[in-house]
Amino acid sequence: QVQLVESGGELVQAGGSLRLSCAASGRTSTISAMGWFRQAPGKEREFVAAITWSGSNTVYADSVKGRFTISRDNAKNTVYLQMNSLKPEDTAVYYCAATKITIMTIKRFYDYWGQGTQVTVSS
């Protein structure tokens, strides 16, 4: 099993920045890639960004490309999501997820999920 714990969500003004963290523990050797998803009230959970466990490849949703950056720290088993130029429409609960398959944009292929962290962007 893999445990994921997110942190870093808070209230921020539009145009501001936040960095989310996701610490992985347990059988991290089984992880192939990590992803961030988000879910706004009344909406489906959507893909935001993903990175291979090695950190060599990344993929982003079009809505965040150029504003968000996903990265990882191998020594700390932690994945980060740097979010810049935040917009009110970025308001959501952000979830970290891990997959044993490969880098993925589709949530059903992720095996492990964190509890989520709330990001609120005020206008």
Side-chain angles (χ1 to χ4, degrees):
Q1 288 282 22
V2 173
Q3 295 78 42
L4 304 173
V5 178
E6 303 101 330
S7 61
E10 61 182 68
L11 173 65
V12 63
Q13 287 190 333
S17 298
L18 276 179
R19 188 177 80 158
L20 305 183
S21 300
C22 174
S25 61
R27 298 188 64 187
T28 56
S29 61
T30 63
I31 299 174
S32 177
M34 300 281 291
W36 285 97
F37 291 76
R38 65 186 182 187
Q39 188 166 18
K43 294 189 176 181
E44 293 282 325
R45 191 172 299 188
E46 64 174 7
F47 171 77
V48 175
I51 187 168
T52 52
W53 191 239
S54 66
S56 58
N57 292 311
T58 58
V59 62
Y60 296 91
D62 288 343
S63 59
V64 306
K65 207 171 288 184
R67 300 188 298 124
F68 291 10
T69 302
I70 189 170
S71 63
R72 62 154 290 130
D73 183 328
N74 289 339
K76 296 181 179 180
N77 282 344
T78 299
V79 173
Y80 303 98
L81 185 68
Q82 177 66 43
M83 305 186 294
N84 299 328
S85 302
L86 282 161
K87 306 174 182 180
E89 51 263 44
D90 294 318
T91 295
V93 177
Y94 283 70
Y95 296 91
C96 174
T99 175
K100 296 184 285 187
I101 305 175
T102 185
I103 192 167
M104 286 287 181
T105 63
I106 302 172
K107 57 182 182 288
R108 71 174 180 267
F109 291 118
Y110 281 78
D111 304 286
Y112 306 103
W113 292 83
Q115 81 288 352
T117 185
Q118 176 71 47
V119 172
T120 304
V121 184
S122 63
S123 57

